[in-house]
Amino acid sequence: MIDYRKLGYISEKQHTFCEYEGKMIVEHVITRNGFNDNYSILYQKRAPTHEVNTETYKTENSFFPSYNKINNNELKRRHFQTPNIQKEGNLLEARATLLVNNTCTVGILKQSKKDHFFFANADADELYFVAEGKGILQTVMGEIDYIPGDYLFIPKAIPYRFLPTEKGNMLVIEGKNNFGIPSEFRLPQGQFKLDAPYNHRDFHSPNRLMELNKNDNFPIIIKRNNVLTKHEYTDFPYKVVGWDGWYWPFSFSVHNYQPKTSSIHLPPTVHTAFSGDKFYIMNFVPRVLDYHPKAIPCPWPHSNIDCDEAIFYVSGDFTSRKGISNYSISFHPSGIPHGPHPERYEQSIGAKRTEELAIMVDTFEPLFVTEAAAMLEDKKYHYTWDSHEHL
Ligand SMILES: [Fe+2]
């Protein structure tokens, strides 16, 4: 996690008798890796364990939380046209998982209405990238306003819901283990290094607690092993008056990412923003391009063996691709070369700047394509590198 934060009322000494507005409040410790990793302590009016009904929750959505992998995973470069996704609605109605392996998933959420429930993912930490849409991410640890360009990180098992004020279009990545800030960006004591691509101030924890009316009550729908269970209570269990610790949801604007540039092309790893076990997330942001007089700003044709690569194109004219639109996802698996389209390679010479914005997920376990992704596939994409000009 990022650092220590606190919000609202907390006791002077942890795990001692504590009152709020004349009534005893309880501590709820949320801790990772047993009791051996980052934790936060929530101060709640009541312990969150008073369910009166618990049942398996079924949705009509066959793309989330469970999904089917396609059988035909032939080795080729793929292009998924996510603007063709028809599903909209709340989080459970609209989310679609497109690429999966044992360590992470990549999906899309077109959130068009507010959630009437809280959702918690007990399988993975989640990172959304807001390509379109505005609203409030309401979590039991407080609220975060979001706008386009924001990453939203929700740690594993923290209940949350979306209250959109504008329809959202978001990339969503699940990471099962050690998802967050890459260790190479930190000093041993935890502070970000001065040459990290961001600073602690760029990460925004909730700035206000949820305001609940006396009779507000919401079920909490929890995903565990890709199965949903609905938990219902006589009153909402997260009446939180304060919290502190190192485990909290945050927003980070991609526009605060500080890109590295060079005289000649640098590998995409210099654009790393987040990582988890066996995967990295990189972002290509508007920046000055390579400044050697003979530099080719486009990347090489490359075979990054042992690594699958998915890119979500957000905006701008992506330097190395043709035939890709905003919100396309390209998927370039390990085992075959890929790279810029030939025209783009040559056209890039002399370019001083790019306005591209894209998010890339590199995985060190093979990704599998789901049925939801297969429905969006542009099947001609694999062959679009051929050009008679280069015969
Ligand atoms: Fe690549």
Side-chain angles (χ1 to χ4, degrees):
M1 293 296 142
I2 311 296
D3 49 30
Y4 172 83
R5 304 273 168 114
K6 67 177 178 179
L7 181 67
Y9 178 82
I10 61 172
S11 71
E12 204 168 299
K13 173 74 178 163
Q14 68 190 56
H15 216 342
T16 58
F17 176 77
C18 181
E19 280 184 314
Y20 182 79
E21 293 178 343
K23 288 187 178 167
M24 182 179 170
I25 51 176
V26 297
E27 288 182 343
H28 174 200
V29 179
I30 302 178
T31 161
R32 289 296 288 269
N33 193 20
F35 290 83
N36 295 308
D37 209 333
N38 286 153
Y39 63 90
S40 282
I41 301 175
L42 278 58
Y43 290 80
Q44 303 183 197
K45 292 188 176 177
R46 189 173 180 184
T49 43
H50 57 284
E51 288 96 335
V52 290
N53 186 48
T54 300
E55 61 190 28
T56 303
Y57 185 78
K58 299 278 186 199
T59 73
E60 300 292 310
N61 184 356
S62 56
F63 301 149
F64 182 80
S66 58
Y67 46 76
N68 292 315
K69 297 177 193 170
I70 61 165
N71 293 323
N72 174 14
N73 258 311
E74 71 184 46
L75 186 60
K76 62 180 184 179
R77 297 176 290 272
R78 296 174 187 266
H79 169 203
F80 306 116
Q81 296 169 307
T82 76
N84 293 344
I85 290 178
Q86 302 297 322
K87 278 179 182 290
E88 292 181 3
N90 66 34
L91 186 152
L92 294 176
E93 292 166 339
R95 195 158 146 177
T97 303
L98 305 179
L99 296 165
V100 298
N101 67 19
N102 290 321
T103 65
C104 66
T105 71
V106 178
I108 289 285
L109 171 61
K110 289 187 175 179
Q111 179 107 18
S112 63
K113 60 187 185 190
K114 77 176 186 182
D115 299 322
H116 56 274
F117 51 83
F118 276 73
F119 170 72
N121 189 337
D123 288 327
D125 298 300
E126 293 185 336
L127 181 71
Y128 289 89
F129 178 79
V130 182
E132 278 180 16
K134 295 178 181 173
I136 298 168
L137 172 68
Q138 189 175 57
T139 82
V140 298
M141 299 179 76
E143 296 180 341
I144 297 172
D145 299 316
Y146 65 86
I147 58 174
D150 283 346
Y151 285 103
L152 301 170
F153 185 90
I154 301 115
K156 189 184 282 188
I158 297 294
Y160 70 93
R161 64 177 183 152
F162 283 107
L163 303 175
T165 54
E166 284 182 12
K167 190 160 74 176
N169 188 350
M170 298 184 260
L171 183 74
V172 53
I173 298 152
E174 290 178 284
K176 284 203 175 161
N177 291 298
N178 296 312
F179 196 3
I181 305 299
S183 58
E184 55 264 37
F185 293 161
R186 291 187 190 266
L187 297 167
Q189 302 89 339
Q191 190 174 22
F192 294 170
K193 292 178 179 174
L194 280 169
D195 62 353
Y198 34 56
N199 185 271
H200 290 260
R201 298 175 208 172
D202 298 325
F203 290 82
H204 301 288
S205 49
N207 62 7
R208 58 191 185 271
L209 294 168
M210 289 169 51
E211 274 192 32
L212 287 168
N213 295 317
K214 195 163 187 284
N215 295 322
D216 279 346
N217 195 4
F218 308 96
I220 299 179
I221 298 173
I222 302 173
K223 177 168 97 75
R224 173 74 173 163
N225 295 328
N226 282 349
V227 172
L228 298 175
T229 306
K230 181 166 79 169
H231 295 249
E232 293 179 298
Y233 306 79
T234 45
D235 62 315
F236 190 61
Y238 284 94
K239 290 177 177 163
V240 176
V241 301
W243 59 265
D244 78 335
W246 282 65
Y247 194 69
W248 35 268
F250 65 75
S251 69
F252 168 75
S253 171
V254 75
H255 304 301
N256 280 329
Y257 186 89
Q258 299 147 210
K260 290 184 171 60
T261 56
S262 168
S263 59
I264 59 167
H265 183 73
L266 293 170
T269 40
V270 299
H271 302 290
T272 296
F274 302 101
S275 66
D277 281 0
K278 296 189 177 177
F279 71 95
Y280 277 83
I281 295 170
M282 289 145 238
N283 41 216
F284 302 101
V285 300
R287 63 193 182 281
V288 171
L289 286 170
D290 314 338
Y291 45 84
H292 185 285
K294 291 187 176 180
I296 301 174
C298 251
W300 333 255
H302 52 285
S303 298
N304 42 335
I305 297 165
D306 303 321
C307 180
D308 281 5
E309 177 185 297
I311 301 182
F312 178 62
Y313 302 84
V314 182
S315 62
D317 184 20
F318 201 71
T319 312
S320 59
R321 296 273 179 278
K322 62 178 187 180
I324 290 283
S325 63
N326 290 350
Y327 314 141
S328 285
I329 291 179
S330 65
F331 173 48
H332 296 157
S334 169
I336 46 171
H338 67 269
H341 281 101
E343 299 84 349
R344 294 301 176 101
Y345 191 74
E346 292 173 20
Q347 287 165 4
S348 73
I349 296 171
K352 302 284 185 240
R353 192 178 162 78
T354 177
E355 298 304 320
E356 69 192 14
L357 179 58
I359 312 298
M360 180 160 86
V361 184
D362 272 9
T363 71
F364 294 88
E365 276 194 9
L367 285 165
F368 292 89
V369 176
T370 68
E371 275 181 2
M375 291 170 61
L376 306 170
E377 187 169 3
D378 162 17
K379 291 197 164 54
K380 295 180 187 150
Y381 177 71
H382 182 61
Y383 306 106
T384 56
W385 275 259
D386 192 24
S387 165
H388 291 290
E389 286 174 30
H390 294 81
L391 289 174

